[in-house]
Amino acid sequence: MTRTREHRLVGVSAAAALADLGFASVASGVIARRRPVLGLLERTRADSRAIERMRLLRREFGSGPVELVVPGRRIIVVLDPGDVGRVLADSPTPFHPANREKRAALRQFQPHGVLLSDGPIRTQRRALNEAALDAGEPLHRLAGPFAAVVATEAREIVVSALHRGHLDASEFTVHWWRLVRRLVLGDRGRDDSTLTDELWRLRSAGNWSFLAPAHRRQRDLFTNRLYRYVESAQPDSLAGALAALPAGGATDPVGQIPHWLFAFDAAGMALSRALAVLTTHPQQHARALADAADPGRLDLRNYLRACVLESVRLWPTTPTILRDVTTDTQWRDGDERFTIPAGAALMIAVPAFHRDPDLLPFADEFVPDIWLDGRAEQYPQLVPFSAGPADCPGRNLVLFVTSTLLAHLLTAAEFRLRSTPQPDPSAPLPVTLNNFGLDFAVEPCMTQTR
């Protein structure tokens, strides 16, 4: 990096900074969340370490970025909110999403996924994902059948929760995966928990990145199960939508499905956290109920979508965005211009941009309105679904599914968060929220006239 020495950290200082920025993400499980660890991270407010470290780096180095030199790797840490937008806009060149560490983790279950791809094949796989997921369209072409699936599974959730008197994270996860498997694989996949259990084991191996050997036999068994679903795909499923698209063998259409399942896991986390905050924020809860009226209607539930977006803003499901710098890049820090040579990893610590009160006046508040009134667009560092050419092509589909399920839950029963911590509208929201610790008391609605 051709800039003055004081703009880089080496040795123990670099390792300490990297630990603060990435500790919570790595400890919780980058690819598969470690549930016991998440509870500990919540109690220790682990994500606050990244926020405080970024403040220290900005005070020391200005708008940056700053280089951390650790054995075998140069890591460029983005400090300026504007640079977040620039990095994501300039993907895949010169900031490539197929980062070295990311490839090592994701190869366990999606070796041919678009995030790991490069060159022309990446373009083909990206186009295939966008076509199957209707990226950019407010509603997926299968929104009608998908809404019917959501309604059916929502009834199952509510009936079970009313019978038990509560809905905890474990029970919600079982129901959520039944819903996801129906959407992705069709009705035959609803109860195929073996498939998603196999995926979980492969993802757990991915947590160890370079340290874990490739589980090829286990991955082949998992992939073969996926092929059987696609070979006789239900038309009203994502597998059916994929099977109907023209694609060459090298594109590996079936090889894209593991990432869809992976992404829906994060969507379930976001939905459960959104429900937790809504049940403790009366004003937002009232607006959500109004938006949820007539849950069977097929349109955009803008406020409920905004609630899910705000959930991901507050507790990012992808806490660290990684890129590899593929060519020399030019940067500016105040009046100083400098060059970052190719070959470095680039790191965006998302919670440090989403939850820093120095950067956002609403950092620790639940404010879904920022996604409706244009305020979110004024902050390029707010990237709940990433941004730019490598953004999440399933963003609108995920928001449709989660907002539709929220609409059914909110109108079918009364949910009251009984676990701790209790998000309080009069106090800063917790920096870390363990979705696996959530537990809701559930009672019949007092009125059905809403």
Side-chain angles (χ1 to χ4, degrees), residues 66-150:
V66 62
E67 179 182 19
L68 308 181
V69 182
V70 296
R73 199 62 158 142
R74 294 164 43 236
I75 301 174
I76 311 302
V77 178
V78 174
L79 303 182
D80 186 79
D83 285 340
V84 174
R86 176 205 168 180
V87 167
L88 298 180
D90 290 347
S91 296
T93 303
F95 307 110
H96 206 290
N99 161 268
R100 188 191 308 173
E101 289 78 13
K102 187 189 300 182
R103 290 199 307 269
L106 296 180
R107 65 176 179 169
Q108 295 285 0
F109 64 97
Q110 51 165 312
H112 298 157
V114 65
L115 287 182
L116 281 69
S117 305
D118 197 3
I121 196 65
R122 180 188 184 279
T123 302
Q124 296 172 28
R125 288 171 177 164
R126 174 74 191 195
L128 182 68
N129 276 270
E130 291 180 349
L133 300 173
D134 278 349
E137 295 296 327
L139 288 174
H140 195 277
R141 59 187 177 278
L142 295 176
F146 285 176
V149 169
V150 173

Side-chain angles (χ1 to χ4, degrees), residues 7-216:
H7 287 89
R8 69 167 58 180
L9 295 175
V10 299
V12 174
S13 297
L18 184 60
D20 284 345
L21 295 173
F23 170 76
S25 178
V26 172
S28 66
V30 177
I31 307 300
R33 298 295 191 267
R34 300 181 176 103
R35 301 183 184 188
V37 176
L38 276 170
L40 177 62
L41 296 177
E42 178 185 70
R43 291 190 294 273
T44 58
R45 303 179 68 250
D47 287 311
S48 62
R49 293 177 57 177
I51 298 170
E52 292 305 317
R53 173 61 69 170
M54 286 287 278
R55 286 174 171 170
L56 290 173
L57 292 176
R58 290 191 189 103
R59 284 198 289 270
E60 185 173 357
F61 300 111
S63 59
V66 62
E67 179 182 19
L68 308 181
V69 182
V70 296
R73 199 62 158 142
R74 294 164 43 236
I75 301 174
I76 311 302
V77 178
V78 174
L79 303 182
D80 186 79
D83 285 340
V84 174
R86 176 205 168 180
V87 167
L88 298 180
D90 290 347
S91 296
T93 303
F95 307 110
H96 206 290
N99 161 268
R100 188 191 308 173
E101 289 78 13
K102 187 189 300 182
R103 290 199 307 269
L106 296 180
R107 65 176 179 169
Q108 295 285 0
F109 64 97
Q110 51 165 312
H112 298 157
V114 65
L115 287 182
L116 281 69
S117 305
D118 197 3
I121 196 65
R122 180 188 184 279
T123 302
Q124 296 172 28
R125 288 171 177 164
R126 174 74 191 195
L128 182 68
N129 276 270
E130 291 180 349
L133 300 173
D134 278 349
E137 295 296 327
L139 288 174
H140 195 277
R141 59 187 177 278
L142 295 176
F146 285 176
V149 169
V150 173
T152 300
E153 296 301 326
R155 285 194 292 272
E156 293 284 337
I157 295 173
V158 171
V159 168
S160 173
L162 288 173
H163 175 73
R164 300 169 74 239
H166 73 110
L167 177 66
D168 60 21
S170 178
E171 184 73 7
F172 172 79
T173 300
V174 170
H175 286 285
W176 174 251
W177 276 115
R178 288 173 182 163
L179 166 60
V180 169
R181 288 192 296 264
R182 286 187 69 184
L183 297 177
V184 177
L185 305 173
D187 292 342
R188 287 190 302 117
R190 180 185 187 269
D191 296 317
D192 190 357
S193 59
T194 300
L195 181 138
T196 40
D197 288 345
E198 290 175 350
L199 175 59
W200 182 264
R201 286 190 287 271
L202 290 167
R203 289 172 54 191
S204 297
N207 281 342
W208 298 98
S209 190
F210 294 109
L211 299 178
H215 290 56
R216 291 186 178 87

Side-chain angles (χ1 to χ4, degrees), residues 314-336:
L314 288 162
W315 301 288
T317 52
T318 303
T320 304
I321 296 176
L322 296 173
R323 297 287 187 266
D324 273 353
V325 183
T326 58
T327 63
D328 294 356
T329 52
Q330 304 299 314
W331 300 78
R332 182 170 183 167
D333 182 4
D335 294 331
E336 180 185 7

Side-chain angles (χ1 to χ4, degrees), residues 273-286 303 310 313-315 355 361-368 417 421-430:
R273 287 167 174 154
L275 181 61
V277 184
L278 283 171
T279 62
T280 55
H281 284 60
Q283 181 178 349
Q284 289 88 341
H285 185 261
Y303 192 76
E310 185 67 346
R313 196 269 300 177
L314 288 162
W315 301 288
R355 296 297 298 271
F362 46 79
D364 296 324
E365 303 173 39
F366 182 61
V367 193
L417 186 66
Q422 291 269 329
D424 185 343
S426 64
L429 291 173

Side-chain angles (χ1 to χ4, degrees), residues 108-111 177 180-181 184-186 188-189 192 194-199 202 218-234 237-240 242-243 252-262:
Q108 295 285 0
F109 64 97
Q110 51 165 312
W177 276 115
V180 169
R181 288 192 296 264
V184 177
L185 305 173
R188 287 190 302 117
D192 190 357
T194 300
L195 181 138
T196 40
D197 288 345
E198 290 175 350
L199 175 59
L202 290 167
Q218 189 173 346
R219 187 179 67 206
D220 289 345
L221 292 172
F222 166 72
T223 303
N224 287 337
R225 293 177 71 90
L226 287 181
Y227 268 99
R228 290 199 292 272
Y229 281 106
V230 177
E231 286 167 355
S232 57
Q234 180 181 329
S237 69
L238 288 180
L242 184 70
D252 190 7
V254 175
Q256 311 312 305
I257 295 178
H259 190 76
W260 300 351
L261 295 168
F262 174 45

